[in-house]
Each structure stands twice: as C-alpha cells, then as structure tokens.
Amino acid sequence: MSAEVQEQSVPLSKIDSAIDDAPASPSESKPRHRRTSSTVSGVFRIEDLEKEGTDLKIAPETQKLNWKVNSSPSTIEDKEVLKKLLCTPPIKKIDLHFPLGLEVTARNMKGVTIKDAVDAIYKQYKKKADDELGDPYLAGFEWDREECFTKFIVHQKKSGDAPSGSGGKKKKGKGEEA
C-alpha cells in the first residue's frame, strides 16, 4: 500500500505546482485597459478641445481638391493629399454641416484625414445625379468657433477648376479621336 501512497503523492505535487503557477484572480491575466488599440496619443475629442478653447486649423489642401461630391474619392488626382489630417490638432470625429441642413460625420480614431471627410460626403451624394446638385464641387471647409465649435461648414461651388493632369473622365462626344 505504501507504493499507492507514493504514486498519489507525485501527481498531487504536480497538480499543486500547476495551481501555484496560475494567477490569483482572473482579472490579473487581463490587460489593464480594454481598448488600447483605439486610443492614440495626441488625437483629441473635439468636445475636449472646445473646453480648453484650442483653435483648430483646417488643412488648406481641401480647397484645391477639385472634387465632385457625387464621384468616388478615388478620382482625386493627388492621392497624398487624402492621407493628410483634416485639421490640427488631430480629432477623432467631426460633423460636416452643409448649408441646406444636411450633416455627415467623419470619424477616425487615429485622427480624421481628408479622405475620411470626402468618404463621408461621398456616401451621402453617390446616388445623386449631376443635375440634382446645385453646386457639385467641394470648395473647402470652414470652422466658425462662435457659431458651432464642433462642426465644420462645407462649402461647394458650381464648377471645378481645369484638371492639371490627364486624369479624369472625358465627356462622351463625336469626333474626339486625336
């Protein structure tokens, strides 16, 4: 019988050592913060900036996009501009307000870029025909801290500037062959 006691004591010691290696409570094995991936240092909530009275600067490149709001953002020639932050300091989300009352929200936890803003606008206008749009081209954004700190006003214009490159669609017509 002493052999049985020894066999039982060996497995018990192994079980005991396994228990000792486990954390004391389940909360110790979890990370301290739940969403570490979505919090980026240096990116702010616009409400926090409003409390601090921080001024925002909108990227001037938005005025030179020459982009038709019902065409895909991929038609914008300068792809590097799309990667730039919409404003400084960077913010997590911004409401884009159109003069006729429409409002869209651009979001990006790493800082709203120009692409995020045009994507949000395009989502609203992609099913509209050209003749339904009074001012189809994006002219830029305006921030009026007195009127509404947490929104950018979207400006539009009747026609886009002449394209600088050979990109863009040609209008269908007869005798356009060179």
Side-chain angles (χ1 to χ4, degrees):
M1 288 233 171
S2 64
E4 286 180 27
V5 172
Q6 284 180 344
E7 284 179 27
Q8 287 179 349
S9 66
V10 172
L12 285 176
S13 67
K14 286 182 181 174
I15 291 172
D16 288 345
S17 65
I19 290 172
D20 290 340
D21 291 340
S25 67
S27 64
E28 286 180 11
S29 63
K30 292 182 181 174
R32 296 275 180 207
H33 304 287
R34 280 184 67 175
R35 288 190 179 169
T36 54
S37 62
S38 65
T39 53
V40 177
S41 62
V43 180
F44 304 93
R45 291 177 57 235
I46 193 150
E47 295 83 4
D48 295 341
L49 294 175
E50 183 178 21
K51 288 176 191 169
E52 295 170 13
T54 306
D55 278 342
L56 296 174
K57 289 188 179 130
I58 300 174
E61 292 87 354
T62 60
Q63 297 172 13
K64 301 171 191 142
L65 289 178
N66 195 31
W67 175 64
K68 200 173 203 180
V69 295
N70 66 347
S71 64
S72 171
S74 64
T75 60
I76 296 173
E77 285 183 36
D78 192 356
K79 304 293 184 222
E80 290 302 309
V81 169
L82 295 176
K83 296 175 186 173
K84 292 190 177 190
L85 291 170
L86 181 62
C87 66
T88 52
I91 52 177
K92 293 181 181 182
K93 77 171 193 167
I94 186 68
D95 293 328
L96 304 172
H97 181 77
F98 289 83
L100 296 175
L102 176 69
E103 207 164 277
V104 297
T105 303
R107 294 179 177 84
N108 187 335
M109 289 309 204
K110 296 176 182 174
V112 175
T113 63
I114 294 173
K115 182 179 183 347
D116 298 321
V118 295
D119 282 346
I121 294 168
Y122 175 64
K123 192 173 181 182
Q124 282 296 319
Y125 283 101
K126 64 183 173 186
K127 293 182 180 167
K128 300 259 188 211
D130 288 352
D131 59 353
E132 293 180 70
L133 302 171
D135 298 328
Y137 289 90
L138 179 70
F141 301 100
E142 175 190 356
W143 177 63
D144 186 353
R145 71 178 301 143
E146 276 75 41
E147 190 174 316
C148 188
F149 194 98
T150 60
K151 295 178 185 173
F152 286 172
I153 300 162
V154 179
H155 291 285
Q156 292 172 275
K157 56 188 176 180
K158 286 254 184 246
S159 63
D161 301 326
S164 57
S166 61
K169 294 181 180 176
K170 288 185 177 179
K171 291 187 179 178
K172 293 179 182 175
K174 294 180 183 176
E176 276 197 319
E177 293 180 32

